[in-house]
Amino acid sequence: MQGLLVTFFIFSLASFCSCNRLFDAPRETIFSVMDSGAVGDGITDDSQAFLKAWEKACAVSDSIGTIEVPQGKTFMLNTIAFMGPCKYSSVHFKLEGNIVAPNSIDAWRGNKTRWIEIVGVDGLVMNGGGQINGNGAVWWKSCNALSFRRCNNLRLSGISHINSAKGHISINKCEHVTISDLKITAPIESKNTDGIDISESKYIVVDNCNMATGDDCIAMNSGTSDIEITRIACGPGHGISVGSLGRNGAYATVQNVHVSDCSFSGSTNGARIKTWQEGSGYVKNVTFEHIRFTNTKNPIIINQSYRNDKLNEVKSQGIEIIGVTYRDLKGTSGNNIAINLECNSNKGCSDIFMEDINITPASSKSKPTASCNNAHGKAISVSPEVPCLSKQHASSY
């Protein structure tokens, strides 16, 4: 009898919660881009139809405004900016079809540094399983594909991003952002086609994404803090990078970064920090753990002389690197130097901690080594051995 009462109570509670969720769920008002005049043949410029649908969705005050981009259609968009703030607390950009950039430089209008820009929109949800194609081969290094600026509480998921002319996704001046289940692809020879660039933003989560690009899979630039990066498959590409920081003498900071359960296959770099010698500022509290490398050229690298031809010149300032942890990093290196801690700035690197590191050669003809300069910290069970770091036993630490 008691068991039946417990079962009835659980069932009643579940039903009550279910009913409450139904009553609490916000209404949704859908605005299809087709109803605003979009053609969806991949040739006609549908920019104005998208803007009309956006304006309607953004103006809704009593429900979630949803911009619907239907499956089975390809929409060509020129330079376009979706502006906020919107009246309701959330907007849904439901991308089920495909978006493509113009296929020639002459066809581009307006700003040629950003293609699709979303500015000042809080509570934006962008998903749907569609694709964004930047037609980047026309002009590599020129135009970021999808930029979010001042968009707090952003949720971006389930979309494929291919062939951006420059960076695929840019996050700038945003807080509380979750990015997940993306596929980002560009040819290995493409220039500056970063997967995700983060700057002046905090409380960012990037999870479960596949990235194969011609540059960094993820780059964390100045003003970035409280970043969680998990389950990223990177390669080819230039790794998951803090930086570059301090170009042209700039003051730059990055702190509280956690990168875990990621893999690098055939990438130029793996766990990477890169700074310019002439800059100032700091990198603090960065952790790379549970990482796997397959034929990665530079599995672990700190480079404080990024793009500096005068490698022996130590500037009076420099960006200080403090508190970097590497734990459970294993796999194969495509380079003789598997661990490279070149802390060439006047500030150097301090409080470096390595534990349970084992990197072996991708080729039986080579033997990985470690190189370091002006780096200070401790190492437990690290192979190849890092001469700058104090060797510790697990029981004594």
Side-chain angles (χ1 to χ4, degrees):
M1 182 65 179
Q2 186 176 5
L4 288 174
L5 288 173
V6 170
T7 303
F8 175 77
F9 175 78
I10 293 173
F11 176 79
S12 299
L13 182 62
S15 299
F16 175 78
C17 293
S18 178
C19 289
N20 270 356
R21 282 195 295 268
L22 288 174
F23 283 115
D24 291 341
R27 293 192 306 110
E28 185 178 30
T29 305
I30 296 174
F31 301 94
S32 171
V33 296
M34 303 301 291
D35 294 336
S36 293
V39 177
D41 59 3
I43 301 171
T44 305
D45 187 348
D46 287 320
S47 302
Q48 290 305 311
F50 272 64
L51 285 174
K52 288 178 183 178
W54 174 265
E55 289 169 2
K56 293 174 184 176
C58 194
V60 171
S61 59
D62 60 349
S63 65
I64 296 174
T66 296
I67 300 92
E68 188 175 68
V69 182
Q71 191 174 10
K73 298 281 187 179
T74 297
F75 302 88
M76 194 277 280
L77 299 184
N78 219 297
T79 303
I80 191 167
F82 300 105
M83 307 297 293
C86 296
K87 290 190 175 181
Y88 196 67
S89 59
S90 181
V91 180
H92 187 187
F93 199 113
K94 191 175 182 181
L95 177 61
E96 295 180 327
N98 301 323
I99 293 175
V100 65
N103 60 7
S104 71
I105 297 175
D106 294 338
W108 280 83
R109 300 191 313 269
N111 192 334
K112 292 186 178 180
T113 62
R114 290 183 293 274
W115 173 30
I116 301 171
E117 187 177 19
I118 302 177
V119 181
V121 181
D122 291 343
L124 175 66
V125 176
M126 189 172 187
N127 58 19
Q131 182 185 88
I132 297 176
N133 181 354
N135 265 334
V138 176
W139 57 343
W140 298 124
K141 296 181 69 173
S142 297
C143 184
N144 289 318
L146 180 61
S147 300
F148 299 93
R149 184 157 52 94
R150 302 197 315 272
C151 293
N152 299 325
N153 300 308
L154 167 67
R155 302 291 180 267
L156 175 63
S157 65
I159 296 173
S160 296
H161 301 254
I162 67 172
N163 297 334
S164 174
K166 199 176 179 183
H168 287 79
I169 298 170
S170 172
I171 306 294
N172 176 249
K173 299 182 187 300
C174 300
E175 295 186 14
H176 300 285
V177 174
T178 300
I179 301 172
S180 63
D181 303 302
L182 302 185
K183 184 175 182 181
I184 300 176
T185 309
I188 191 172
E189 68 275 9
S190 59
K191 306 296 183 182
N192 286 359
T193 52
D194 291 5
I196 300 173
D197 284 313
I198 306 170
S199 61
E200 299 181 77
S201 299
K202 58 185 178 180
Y203 308 121
I204 313 295
V205 174
V206 185
D207 176 56
N208 195 36
C209 299
N210 290 293
M211 304 184 189
T213 73
D215 211 298
D216 294 326
C217 289
I218 300 174
M220 288 158 278
N221 300 301
S222 183
T224 297
S225 68
D226 302 286
I227 310 297
E228 184 78 24
I229 297 172
T230 57
R231 298 191 299 167
I232 305 300
C234 173
H238 292 183
I240 294 178
S241 300
V242 174
S244 64
L245 303 175
R247 185 177 184 180
N248 297 325
Y251 178 83
T253 67
V254 172
Q255 62 183 335
N256 303 335
V257 174
H258 183 220
V259 180
S260 67
D261 298 285
C262 297
S263 63
F264 300 90
S265 180
S267 57
T268 305
N269 306 289
R272 184 189 196 193
I273 300 174
K274 48 180 176 174
T275 67
W276 297 71
Q277 275 192 326
E278 63 265 32
S280 63
Y282 58 83
V283 174
K284 292 181 180 178
N285 190 24
V286 177
T287 297
F288 296 96
E289 62 181 348
H290 313 310
I291 307 291
R292 297 297 176 261
F293 306 108
T294 302
N295 193 24
T296 302
K297 187 176 180 182
N298 301 298
I300 300 172
I301 181 168
I302 295 177
N303 182 2
Q304 286 192 315
S305 299
Y306 183 65
R307 293 191 178 179
N308 191 337
D309 294 331
K310 300 178 181 179
L311 295 179
N312 295 321
E313 180 181 355
V314 178
K315 300 291 181 179
S316 60
Q317 42 189 4
I319 292 177
E320 190 172 11
I321 296 176
I322 311 167
V324 184
T325 296
Y326 303 90
R327 182 182 290 110
D328 183 25
L329 277 63
K330 298 173 182 177
T332 59
S333 171
N335 192 1
N336 286 338
I337 302 177
I339 301 174
N340 190 358
L341 308 181
E342 288 302 315
C343 302
N344 294 311
S345 80
N346 188 46
K347 299 292 186 180
C349 306
S350 60
D351 195 19
I352 306 297
F353 179 61
M354 290 189 169
E355 181 180 23
D356 192 20
I357 312 295
N358 186 16
I359 303 175
T360 59
S363 168
S364 58
K365 297 179 181 179
S366 63
K367 180 180 180 181
T369 60
S371 173
C372 60
N373 177 45
N374 202 17
H376 310 279
K378 297 179 173 65
I380 298 175
S381 185
V382 175
S383 178
E385 188 172 314
V386 184
C388 282
L389 303 182
S390 173
K391 189 175 180 180
Q392 305 285 311
H393 296 290
S395 58
S396 65
Y397 189 79

